[in-house]
Amino acid sequence: MRPEHKRPNTNWEYAPQFTRDPPFEIKVNTTKVKPGELVEVVLTSKGKYDFFKGYFMQVFEDKSFFSKIIPLPQGSWIPLGRSRTLQCHIYEDSISHTEASYKRNVTMLWRAPMAATHPFKVKATVVRNYTHYWEDIWSPTIYPTEMISIETPPINPNPAPATQNKENEKKDLLESLAKEVGADSAKELLEILRQKVDEKNNPAPSPASTAAPTKTADQKIDELKKNHPDTAKKSKRLQKIPVFWIKLKTYLGVRRKGRKKVVDSYRVC
């Protein structure tokens, strides 16, 4: 909040006046304010001949000056007469002069924010002329009648180990899953899951696998001999006829040495 008045032919700024009792002060019409209520702020000189040309004012939370967080202007200003609002962080959060004539006091209105967590103070920089100005001129503290309390959770002096917390989380998760599935407890849910895993790893034999194994050709022939003895005798007689074997081999596609395979167009007589 400095006016940035530089010395001639240099890039150095004029330093503020370091006095314990500045010749200017800020007055407010009330020290208690409701959310959104207006406060009349007056910047005035203490002495009869203490005039000033310019000023710049903002309102901050009272705690901000003792914290590591950069303070931000609070509320909004309403200019009265020879003043104008500026935007530093939000709309109309700062106010300054419009012309550089000598004056002894100026009056303006400040609107309190709708939510407050700490008291407020008005801060001003006042310029007497180009080379003399004062910083950090403060108003009396303004206390909000309704403040929002921010509660921090209590710190557990004996925190549980991380492994114990994980086990508790697992138990809670199993209990909630058991309720959704319909199991009475997490133990019953684990038994159901184990059964499912066993069924997946050791599937039950299918009906096709339980069926009787297929019979070989010799077994079929033996069965045919037992059930149909007449047909068995006939087959023995046919085995003695060479033409039968030739036709059978031809039908089955048996090759002779030096000859091509015969087309399968014959039937066994």
Side-chain angles (χ1 to χ4, degrees), residues 142-198:
I142 304 171
Y143 296 93
T145 57
E146 299 176 11
M147 285 196 298
I148 301 172
S149 62
I150 301 175
E151 297 181 359
T152 56
I155 300 173
N156 188 4
N158 299 318
T163 55
Q164 184 177 353
N165 292 336
K166 289 182 179 179
E167 291 295 330
N168 295 334
E169 291 177 1
K170 289 180 182 179
K171 289 181 181 179
D172 296 339
L173 179 61
L174 288 174
E175 291 292 342
S176 61
L177 290 174
K179 292 180 182 179
E180 292 181 4
V181 174
D184 295 335
S185 63
K187 187 176 181 181
E188 185 177 351
L189 175 63
L190 290 174
E191 291 295 332
I192 295 172
L193 293 175
R194 288 194 187 97
Q195 292 178 4
K196 293 291 184 182
V197 172
D198 293 340

Side-chain angles (χ1 to χ4, degrees), residues 22-258:
F24 312 102
E25 62 180 346
I26 300 173
K27 297 180 180 180
V28 293
N29 66 336
T30 181
T31 55
K32 294 182 179 180
V33 63
K34 296 180 180 179
E37 191 175 13
L38 294 176
V39 178
E40 185 181 80
V41 181
V42 179
L43 175 62
T44 181
S45 58
K46 295 179 180 179
K48 185 177 180 180
Y49 302 102
D50 294 326
F51 298 96
F52 60 91
K53 286 187 174 182
Y55 58 90
F56 183 84
M57 288 196 295
Q58 292 176 328
V59 179
F60 297 96
E61 289 182 339
D62 195 16
K63 64 100 185 178
S64 300
F65 306 101
F66 305 100
S67 66
K68 296 181 181 179
I69 302 173
I70 299 174
L72 298 176
Q74 302 293 320
S76 60
W77 291 92
I78 299 175
L80 298 176
R82 297 173 294 179
S83 58
R84 61 191 175 103
T85 57
L86 302 172
Q87 179 177 347
C88 180
H89 178 65
I90 58 174
Y91 184 66
E92 295 182 342
D93 61 356
S94 308
I95 194 166
S96 184
H97 57 281
T98 56
E99 42 84 23
S101 61
Y102 283 106
K103 52 188 82 67
R104 293 191 69 244
N105 57 70
V106 289
T107 303
M108 59 218 70
L109 299 177
W110 175 73
R111 188 185 300 276
M114 298 304 297
T117 57
H118 295 83
F120 303 105
K121 275 190 174 183
V122 184
K123 180 182 179 182
T125 297
V126 183
V127 179
R128 172 179 287 174
N129 50 48
Y130 192 84
T131 59
H132 293 77
Y133 64 93
W134 284 260
E135 284 186 323
D136 298 337
I137 299 175
W138 296 98
S139 72
T141 304
I142 304 171
Y143 296 93
T145 57
E146 299 176 11
M147 285 196 298
I148 301 172
S149 62
I150 301 175
E151 297 181 359
T152 56
I155 300 173
N156 188 4
N158 299 318
T163 55
Q164 184 177 353
N165 292 336
K166 289 182 179 179
E167 291 295 330
N168 295 334
E169 291 177 1
K170 289 180 182 179
K171 289 181 181 179
D172 296 339
L173 179 61
L174 288 174
E175 291 292 342
S176 61
L177 290 174
K179 292 180 182 179
E180 292 181 4
V181 174
D184 295 335
S185 63
K187 187 176 181 181
E188 185 177 351
L189 175 63
L190 290 174
E191 291 295 332
I192 295 172
L193 293 175
R194 288 194 187 97
Q195 292 178 4
K196 293 291 184 182
V197 172
D198 293 340
E199 291 176 1
K200 185 176 181 181
N201 295 334
N202 303 314
S206 59
S209 61
T210 58
T214 56
K215 297 179 181 180
T216 61
D218 295 336
Q219 291 175 350
K220 289 182 179 180
I221 291 171
D222 294 339
E223 186 178 355
L224 183 63
K225 288 179 180 180
K226 291 179 182 180
N227 298 333
H228 305 281
D230 298 334
T231 306
K233 291 178 181 180
K234 187 178 179 180
S235 63
K236 285 182 178 181
R237 290 196 300 269
L238 289 173
Q239 290 176 6
K240 296 178 181 180
I241 302 173
V243 179
F244 170 78
W245 285 109
I246 293 170
K247 291 182 178 182
L248 180 61
K249 290 180 179 180
T250 305
Y251 179 76
L252 296 176
V254 179
R255 295 181 180 180
R256 292 185 180 182
K257 292 182 179 180

